Amino acid sequence: MQELEPPNTHYLSAAIGWLGLSSLADAKAELARIGPAHQNHPDVLEVRWVICAEEGHWDEALQIARALLHGAPDRSSGWLHQAYALRRVQNGGVRKAWQALLPAFDKFPKEPTISYNLSCYACQLQQLDAARVWLNRALVIGGKEKIKRMALEDRDLEPLWGEIRGL
């Protein structure tokens, strides 16, 4: 994969800046300025996925996540984005998200977001014992206090909030 160079790096940075200001239209306009040969660069795909997610365009987000998985298999974000989008597309759902993300744990065992999301999915599938196991992994990998705070604000984990408060 060819590295991004100016002016493409400037357009990408500007797009990220516009995202930070919640201006999706301006972020898209900056991405459109990136040369055609670099439109599938993993960094560009990451920003494009965020835009789709913000807009709720889950079918497109899923396609982008899969392109990211193909083009940058060493990035955990492709796996996470794919599962997140799969949960939301028509004919998707929590079970499909779970099945798509599960293999990522073996590939990225030190990525706490994978364990955390697997915990969320298990909880939503009413597999509370599995949810506890995945949450405990996330707590160990990602730091107890940080993950605990996130979990207590995450409705996906609401069935476990009583236990999480006691951690």
Side-chain angles (χ1 to χ4, degrees):
M1 173 70 43
Q2 189 177 7
E3 282 300 310
L4 284 181
E5 295 179 358
N8 293 320
T9 52
H10 301 302
Y11 304 143
L12 181 63
S13 293
I16 292 167
W18 284 117
L19 275 180
L21 295 171
S22 299
S23 180
L24 301 179
D26 289 318
K28 284 196 253 187
E30 292 294 342
L31 288 181
R33 297 176 73 186
I34 294 173
H38 301 287
Q39 285 293 324
N40 284 325
H41 188 280
D43 295 339
V44 175
L45 292 174
E46 295 273 8
V47 174
R48 200 174 297 290
W49 187 91
V50 171
I51 292 169
C52 287
E54 289 291 325
E55 293 177 328
H57 296 158
W58 295 113
D59 289 328
E60 188 178 350
L62 180 57
Q63 290 174 357
I64 292 167
R66 288 181 171 160
L68 184 58
L69 262 173
H70 178 73
D74 56 326
R75 289 190 185 196
S76 63
S77 58
W79 293 87
L80 289 160
H81 293 338
Q82 176 183 242
Y84 201 85
L86 268 171
R87 182 175 179 178
R88 289 154 179 85
V89 295
Q90 188 173 2
N91 299 320
V94 175
R95 184 164 308 285
K96 287 187 179 178
W98 162 270
Q99 291 167 340
L101 189 57
L102 193 57
F105 178 75
D106 289 335
K107 190 167 176 75
F108 305 99
K110 294 184 180 179
E111 173 53 58
T113 308
I114 291 172
S115 296
Y116 181 86
N117 284 9
L118 286 169
S119 177
C120 291
Y121 299 153
C123 201
Q124 290 303 296
L125 292 168
Q126 300 173 359
Q127 297 174 5
L128 297 184
D129 288 339
R132 288 180 188 100
V133 169
W134 288 110
L135 183 60
N136 282 328
R137 287 180 180 157
L139 289 164
V140 169
I141 299 166
K144 182 179 176 181
E145 290 309 312
K146 177 184 173 188
I147 300 294
K148 181 179 173 181
R149 275 193 309 276
M150 275 184 6
L152 289 173
E153 294 178 9
D154 194 328
R155 289 233 173 263
D156 282 348
L157 295 171
E158 189 172 2
L160 298 179
W161 280 356
E163 295 173 41
I164 295 168
R165 280 187 199 97
L167 294 174

